[in-house]
Amino acid sequence: ERRHKKIENLFPMSSEIMSNFHSLLNSFKQNTAAATSSSAAAASADAPSSASFRPSSSSKKRSRDNHCESRTQKNTTSTSRKSGIPPAISTSSFELSFLVIGGQKCGTSWLNNLLRKCHAISLPPNEKEIHFWDWHYQRGYEWYIKQFDLFRRCPQQSCSNSDPSSSKPFYGEITPCYVVLPSEKIEEISRIFPQLKLVFIARDLVDRAWSALIMELRNQTSGLTAGSFADGSGIQTCHNARDPKKPKKSVMSVAQKRRMQELSSPSSQPDSYYMERLRNATHDSRSNYAKHLRNWYEHFPPETILIVDYRDIESDPRGTLSKIVQHIGLHEEEARKYVESLDDRVLGQRVNAATSDQLRIDDSTASIKSSQPSSSDYFLSQRPNLKRQMQKYLQHHAIEFNALLEEKGYLWRLDEYDGNGREMT
């Protein structure tokens, strides 16, 4: 106003021009503010929330699918490839074919290595265990889909999906911890993937628990965190969360490795230590096969769940593997060709065995059929009192699981540690 008065005094003829200028400026400001407010409101309405991609029990699958479909239609081929999702596969069209839900220390690493050799099956390329449904659920459904190789295709005759002309492989993952998922999470999985096939491998309860306890002791001794492991060369490998293909490595000294061997040896701990750990809620829960499998049976038909006897992996790895891949969806002839293409050495590899005072952490050269017991088995056999305590503690879990097997029509049983084992053939 002061400037306006000065100008008006200096230039009386310009007062009308300045008045028009002020009117024009105010009008421009009002229009700009209105446009900004409108754009912000539109952006807020169009912007997807993280929950839009996250499957939850309170949201409808249809709304998630519609949102993902509209989002996919906006992406070009280059954008889709950059995001990791091909234009032909939206988050709504992705179909998970199978999950291996357990059990822990029951041969799932062996199965993982072999399924990766089947051209009709696609597992996540960077990790064996994705842990989406328990650890990484907050990352959202789109993150989960990106863990798979969505650009992979397989021969049409091998892919017996619902669409015969489809070349999409059978997508699946192996996370043994999934067996203990709560019922509401299992219900959500069944709602999103109603055709899902499930595989559970059951091992003798004492053998499984002992292997898990030794693995826990080994990990605690080496100071490894979740998602890390050590190999036989004494190199700790921790996957980079941003780039799993680029591990960080630190080499242990000879003295460190020797000390680690001593502390991780099963003989380093008394019987009371192992029994205390066995009674821990985590170990006890993972030994309760029947309780957790019944949760899965509540939401999936019995024919979609395959329970595998771990002893069959030892006695007939080819037949067991063929049964698993046919359950996943391969035709019988394709399953036969795939299994026959594997040599005995590959089929007999023992992977990630919980060993040993020699710290053979990746026992990839030892055969499952070997007549020589692993070091961990040997140590347990040398501690009969501890073995009896473990059998007594786990007996009720074995009895409950055998009742479930009988109920579902299986003809084999786990040892109930009553002197006869109740095995049936």
Side-chain angles (χ1 to χ4, degrees):
E1 291 297 330
R2 290 178 180 176
R3 290 178 181 176
H4 178 66
K5 291 294 183 182
K6 289 181 180 179
I7 293 173
E8 186 175 3
N9 292 332
L10 291 172
F11 306 98
M13 296 295 294
S14 66
S15 60
E16 183 178 354
I17 298 175
M18 293 303 296
S19 178
N20 292 337
F21 171 77
H22 276 287
S23 298
L24 181 64
L25 180 61
N26 290 334
S27 176
F28 174 76
K29 289 181 178 180
Q30 292 174 0
N31 292 339
T32 301
T36 302
S37 176
S38 176
S39 298
S44 176
D46 292 339
S49 65
S50 58
S52 299
F53 291 101
R54 186 183 308 140
S56 64
S57 57
S58 61
S59 62
K60 297 287 187 178
K61 180 176 183 290
R62 178 177 298 178
S63 63
R64 188 205 71 231
D65 290 349
N66 291 340
H67 178 79
C68 295
E69 286 171 1
S70 63
R71 185 176 173 88
T72 302
Q73 291 169 0
K74 295 178 182 178
N75 291 336
T76 63
T77 301
S78 59
T79 303
S80 297
R81 183 170 290 275
K82 183 177 180 180
S83 69
I85 301 180
I89 300 179
S90 67
T91 52
S92 62
S93 65
F94 174 78
E95 186 65 32
L96 189 69
S97 299
F98 70 95
L99 287 176
V100 179
I101 59 175
Q104 184 198 47
K105 310 307 298 180
C106 293
T108 56
S109 294
W110 170 85
L111 181 60
N112 172 71
N113 280 9
L114 293 176
L115 291 184
R116 291 185 183 278
K117 300 180 185 299
C118 180
H119 56 252
I121 291 175
S122 181
L123 296 169
N126 296 323
E127 298 286 345
K128 171 200 167 191
E129 301 180 17
I130 297 300
H131 284 282
F132 171 71
W133 299 102
D134 49 4
W135 295 356
H136 301 303
Y137 184 72
Q138 269 47 3
R139 295 194 177 194
Y141 188 57
E142 190 173 76
W143 176 90
Y144 183 50
I145 295 176
K146 289 180 181 178
Q147 305 312 301
F148 297 89
D149 182 4
L150 301 179
F151 293 93
R152 178 173 173 174
R153 292 294 179 265
C154 67
Q156 291 184 2
Q157 66 272 19
S158 303
C159 298
S160 55
N161 287 296
S162 57
D163 181 3
S165 64
S166 173
S167 62
K168 290 189 293 186
F170 295 97
Y171 292 110
E173 59 144 323
I174 301 174
T175 303
C177 294
Y178 284 167
V179 70
V180 301
L181 287 174
S183 182
E184 58 269 18
K185 188 72 67 177
I186 299 171
E187 187 276 332
E188 181 178 351
I189 296 173
S190 69
R191 178 167 43 81
I192 298 172
F193 304 114
Q195 306 301 319
L196 188 68
K197 299 297 180 62
L198 303 164
V199 177
F200 179 82
I201 305 174
R203 184 181 181 184
D204 176 88
L205 289 177
V206 170
D207 291 345
R208 191 218 67 81
W210 177 248
S211 184
L213 291 170
I214 298 305
M215 180 182 70
E216 179 185 65
L217 176 63
R218 179 191 73 201
N219 290 342
Q220 289 178 345
T221 302
S222 60
L224 300 181
T225 56
S228 304
F229 63 93
D231 63 26
S233 65
I235 298 177
Q236 178 176 328
T237 307
C238 302
H239 285 289
N240 188 320
R242 294 186 176 181
D243 188 357
K245 296 180 180 179
K246 295 181 179 180
K248 305 173 184 178
K249 294 186 177 181
S250 58
V251 181
M252 290 190 295
S253 67
V254 174
Q256 287 175 323
K257 184 176 179 181
R258 184 181 298 113
R259 179 59 176 164
M260 185 175 170
Q261 290 173 348
E262 293 173 354
L263 295 176
S264 62
S265 171
S267 60
S268 67
Q269 300 293 337
D271 291 359
S272 58
Y273 164 83
Y274 293 109
M275 289 307 301
E276 180 182 353
R277 296 306 305 150
L278 182 61
R279 295 186 183 98
N280 176 270
T282 297
H283 288 292
D284 181 77
S285 178
R286 293 188 179 181
S287 296
N288 197 344
Y289 297 165
K291 172 186 174 181
H292 298 299
L293 284 174
R294 289 191 184 280
N295 288 336
W296 288 89
Y297 275 112
E298 283 183 6
H299 302 289
F300 286 90
E303 62 271 15
T304 64
I305 303 176
L306 176 65
I307 304 177
V308 178
D309 186 353
Y310 179 85
R311 292 165 295 190
D312 288 343
I313 296 177
E314 298 176 318
S315 62
D316 183 20
R318 288 187 188 276
T320 304
L321 183 60
S322 178
K323 179 167 62 176
I324 291 173
V325 296
Q326 287 185 63
H327 178 71
I328 289 173
L330 265 69
H331 295 303
E332 182 177 359
E333 181 62 19
E334 287 301 318
R336 183 188 62 79
K337 291 179 181 179
Y338 154 64
V339 173
E340 288 182 354
S341 70
L342 304 171
D343 59 41
D344 291 335
R345 183 187 63 83
V346 173
L347 278 166
Q349 281 184 347
R350 185 174 187 171
V351 184
N352 288 342
T355 57
S356 102
D357 57 341
Q358 298 178 5
L359 206 65
R360 292 197 311 268
I361 292 176
D362 183 3
D363 194 8
S364 58
T365 60
S367 170
I368 289 179
K369 291 184 175 182
S370 172
S371 59
Q372 298 296 326
S374 69
S375 297
S376 60
D377 293 338
Y378 172 78
F379 272 100
L380 184 59
S381 68
Q382 298 302 302
R383 302 172 77 158
N385 185 51
L386 173 60
K387 189 171 184 177
R388 282 193 295 270
Q389 291 182 67
M390 293 179 68
Q391 289 176 340
K392 182 178 180 181
Y393 181 80
L394 296 171
Q395 185 179 39
H396 69 288
H397 287 328
I399 293 173
E400 291 173 1
F401 178 64
N402 283 341
L404 176 66
L405 290 176
E406 184 174 6
E407 176 185 322
K408 302 304 178 183
Y410 288 89
L411 299 180
W412 56 274
R413 303 288 183 268
L414 289 184
D415 194 342
E416 293 184 355
Y417 316 119
D418 57 2
N420 56 41
R422 286 191 62 195
E423 287 189 26
M424 301 176 63
T425 58

